[in-house]
Amino acid sequence: GHGIKAAKYVNMVDRFDAELIKFKGVWFYGSPFPEWLWDGKTSSTGWTGSRGDICRALLKELVSRMGSKSSNIHFNSNVTSVNVTAGSVTVDHSGDGGLQTTKTYEFDLIVGSDGGGSMVRNEMLRSIPEFTVHSYSMENYSRMIHLDKNVNHLDPGYLYVMGLPRRQVVRVAGAINSEKGRDEAPPKWFCQVGTVGNPVYASVEEAKQHIGADYPSIL
């Protein structure tokens, strides 16, 4: 998956090997392809895991490496503003008991891993004339559902592409760790249902009919 170069750069491979599900490849089902396999072993190392799995593994590695070195990790806190020229970040700690509600920190380097609506990126756009962003909408939508049946024959190491879009619906199934961890309980299976546009269904039955048209056993 994406991020493999970063994982190797910060020496996270051993930690991910120990805590995430090893990625083996991708199975494709249905039209326009026959059933076939892309073998991930011929490519780079990889893993599958939820965002929570990945963050917990990163946190464990950070704590194990820091030892007695100084570090501050805050939970239940929200960044309210960023000054990219001064290198300062203002944080609301009201959800993190025992701290003053708002505090401003100054850093030599700020890394803004804050997603599509990035506050850091927006502040850079506002403050730095040379910084530009180009974006467009692909009109792709997806919903996640929990697969709790017909999964015993599936291998957690693979992603399964099911029901390619004869009706503008594509489904990708995969596994993540259970709440107890990778080795303590069977994995949880998810299915991402992707559509072109944002369909609205009049009833649960109508949604089932649409989603299950190409691969009904997921329902």
Side-chain angles (χ1 to χ4, degrees), residues 99-113:
L99 295 174
Q100 69 181 76
T101 301
T102 302
K103 186 174 180 179
T104 298
Y105 304 85
E106 292 187 356
F107 300 97
D108 295 325
L109 174 66
I110 298 172
V111 179
S113 301

Side-chain angles (χ1 to χ4, degrees), residues 82-89 104-110 123 127:
V82 177
N83 187 320
V84 298
T85 55
S88 64
V89 177
T104 298
Y105 304 85
E106 292 187 356
F107 300 97
D108 295 325
L109 174 66
I110 298 172
E123 180 60 24
S127 304

Side-chain angles (χ1 to χ4, degrees), residues 6-75:
K8 290 180 177 179
Y9 183 78
V10 297
N11 297 318
M12 278 295 298
V13 171
D14 289 344
R15 175 69 66 176
F16 285 164
D17 280 346
E19 305 211 10
L20 301 182
I21 298 171
K22 286 282 287 182
F23 176 72
K24 297 179 180 179
V26 181
W27 277 104
F28 292 85
Y29 290 93
S31 176
F33 302 106
E35 182 176 320
W36 65 282
L37 169 70
W38 174 72
D39 184 0
K41 293 180 181 179
T42 62
S43 185
S44 301
T45 302
W47 310 269
T48 61
S50 69
R51 183 175 300 178
D53 294 337
I54 295 169
C55 287
R56 282 186 287 271
L58 289 168
L59 180 59
K60 286 182 181 179
E61 188 68 16
L62 174 63
V63 172
S64 70
R65 292 187 195 181
M66 293 302 293
S68 60
K69 296 179 181 179
S70 174
S71 63
N72 291 298
I73 302 172
H74 298 288
F75 296 93

